[in-house]
Amino acid sequence: DPESSVLLVGSHLDTVTQGGKYDGMLGVISGIEAIQTLHENGVRPKHPIEVIGFCDEEGTRFHTTLLGSRAISGLLKEEDLDVKDKSGITLAYAMAGVGLDPSSFRLAARDPDDLLGYLELHIEQGPVLEEMNQACCAVSGIAGQSRYEFRVEGKAGHAGTVPVGMRKDALVGAAEMIQAVERIAGQYDSLVATVGKISVQPGASNVIPGVVEGTLDIRSPDEQRKHSALREIFDECKWIALRRGLTFSSRLILESPAIACSEALIQTIELALQDHGMSPVRLVSGAGHDAMAIASITDIGMIFVKCREGLSHHPDEYAAPEDIQAGTAVLLDVMLRMTTQQNRNPRKENLIVD
């Protein structure tokens, strides 16, 4: 029925530098495979199904994460077109270079009233399914993420002439702060915190570090828990700085709230898992996905597939063919349950087809 609401299925096609070939692309290929299976078996669902390969989910070139899915969701802003890559080329200029009209980006936005829901299959990017020895599972939600830049400022000096007890060493202070981040994060369930980047100035072997700049990334499916941990971390960092005669400052550079998957779609995925001989397991995604943006216009459901050693964003990223087959079979089952039912609104009832 071309007038029925549309089920979107997909993921992203880009990757990070030195990344693997499963993160993102697997969700697109599995959607295409499911569609082909429907064709081969002469199945014509009531609701149309569209497979989408989103661009620039990772934001590697322009740091414009979720570019394609934000455009589809109507969340892309005109100022996003002005961001530049490391060569000074704007996003708008790059789009024009491949024959696109940057001023038409709003035409990509979909009408929420036309959508039935969104499904995304993705490798887990973590070790839990491998530890459980299960091929795939349902995703309950996507963790909220806060990212900060921080600066610890002390006083540079000669490495051979300033006594240790009289120093204002920014790097030693930052090292204590990083340990505090690990300790505090470990006290909260379902929360992770990472200092992934630091730079030391002046960066000479015979000079006491005067300035350290770095990043803090903290994630949790519980927004209150995340902000509570942040307050505790920053209070501790300020106390360390005060005790050592340093200054500590921070600046928020990214705030992404936690996103819950549709309970109805989670239950539908769980039913499919059980039909395929698996346990109805739910995991929270600590990584971001296109589903985060699509959640603003329709219900989302996600399926995780086991990956070896939980490794991702790495050339050795790998998912076994039998696990991919199991995940795609579950995806196909959920697609059928959603698109052959009579009720068009998945918010109102559990999506079950006898």
Side-chain angles (χ1 to χ4, degrees):
D1 179 4
E3 300 301 318
S4 291
S5 50
V6 176
L7 173 63
L8 304 179
V9 180
S11 191
H12 60 98
L13 292 168
D14 65 314
T15 186
V16 297
T17 304
Q18 294 297 310
K21 62 182 180 181
Y22 296 88
D23 175 2
M25 282 76 78
L26 179 60
V28 181
I29 296 298
S30 62
I32 294 172
E33 177 67 17
I35 292 291
Q36 175 152 336
T37 301
L38 293 177
H39 276 288
E40 290 172 348
N41 288 274
V43 177
R44 297 177 62 87
K46 175 179 175 58
H47 293 270
I49 304 171
E50 297 181 14
V51 179
I52 300 182
F54 291 113
C55 69
D56 200 27
E57 186 262 5
E58 302 285 5
T60 301
R61 179 178 179 185
F62 294 99
H63 303 291
T64 46
T65 55
L66 309 180
L67 178 63
S69 49
R70 284 195 293 132
I72 292 289
S73 304
L75 300 176
L76 196 65
K77 306 297 182 184
E78 190 164 358
E79 52 264 32
D80 291 324
L81 301 176
D82 296 327
V83 299
K84 297 179 180 180
D85 66 9
K86 63 182 180 181
S87 300
I89 297 173
T90 66
L91 175 59
Y93 186 86
M95 291 172 66
V98 294
L100 299 174
D101 178 5
S103 64
S104 299
F105 73 91
R106 292 185 180 86
L107 298 177
R110 301 294 293 264
D111 185 345
D113 291 338
D114 293 338
L115 301 179
L116 176 68
Y118 171 75
L119 295 175
E120 180 169 354
L121 180 144
H122 203 283
I123 58 170
E124 181 196 349
Q125 300 178 283
V128 179
L129 284 173
E130 187 173 57
E131 180 69 21
M132 295 176 55
N133 194 29
Q134 178 156 307
C136 54
C137 72
V139 178
S140 59
I142 302 171
Q145 177 186 7
S146 298
R147 187 178 299 168
Y148 286 81
E149 292 177 336
F150 66 84
R151 178 182 174 94
V152 181
E153 190 167 353
K155 188 172 184 178
H158 197 292
T161 61
V162 182
V164 171
M166 298 177 64
R167 297 182 178 190
K168 296 181 179 180
D169 189 323
L171 182 56
V172 174
E176 186 177 353
M177 294 173 189
I178 293 169
Q179 289 183 312
V181 169
E182 181 185 47
R183 173 173 51 79
I184 293 169
Q187 297 171 356
Y188 288 82
D189 292 332
S190 302
L191 182 140
V192 293
T194 306
V195 176
K197 177 181 177 182
I198 61 169
S199 63
V200 182
Q201 303 170 26
S205 61
N206 60 347
V207 180
I208 299 166
V211 175
V212 171
E213 294 179 329
T215 60
L216 171 65
D217 181 297
I218 184 166
R219 308 184 189 205
S220 174
D222 187 315
E223 287 292 306
Q224 184 175 353
R225 182 181 305 153
K226 181 184 70 173
H227 289 293
S228 177
L230 273 171
R231 285 192 299 271
E232 191 172 345
I233 286 171
F234 287 148
D235 285 346
E236 182 73 9
C237 289
K238 291 173 184 176
W239 167 242
I240 292 169
L242 180 64
R243 177 162 47 80
R244 290 181 171 274
L246 310 170
T247 60
F248 173 84
S249 59
S250 62
R251 181 175 72 91
L252 179 67
I253 58 174
L254 173 69
E255 183 66 49
S256 177
I259 299 294
C261 292
S262 161
E263 181 61 29
L265 296 188
I266 294 171
Q267 292 180 18
T268 304
I269 294 169
E270 289 177 331
L271 288 170
L273 288 168
Q274 290 174 305
D275 284 350
H276 289 273
M278 288 177 275
S279 300
V281 176
R282 302 185 184 192
L283 292 180
V284 174
S285 174
H289 300 284
D290 287 302
M292 297 171 65
I294 302 301
S296 66
I297 56 173
T298 192
D299 287 335
I300 62 169
M302 288 194 67
I303 299 166
F304 270 168
V305 173
K306 179 174 68 178
C307 59
R308 186 172 59 195
E309 298 179 358
L311 191 63
S312 183
H313 285 190
H314 188 280
D316 293 338
E317 180 180 273
Y318 177 78
E322 59 269 23
D323 295 329
I324 293 174
Q325 183 180 22
T328 306
V330 170
L331 175 66
L332 175 60
D333 192 338
V334 176
M335 290 167 60
L336 282 170
R337 290 170 187 265
M338 293 182 66
T339 58
T340 59
Q341 60 161 341
Q342 295 301 312
N343 191 311
R344 299 187 185 187
N345 189 347
R347 298 178 188 270
K348 291 184 178 179
E349 64 175 39
N350 196 352
L351 306 180
I352 303 174
V353 176
D354 293 332

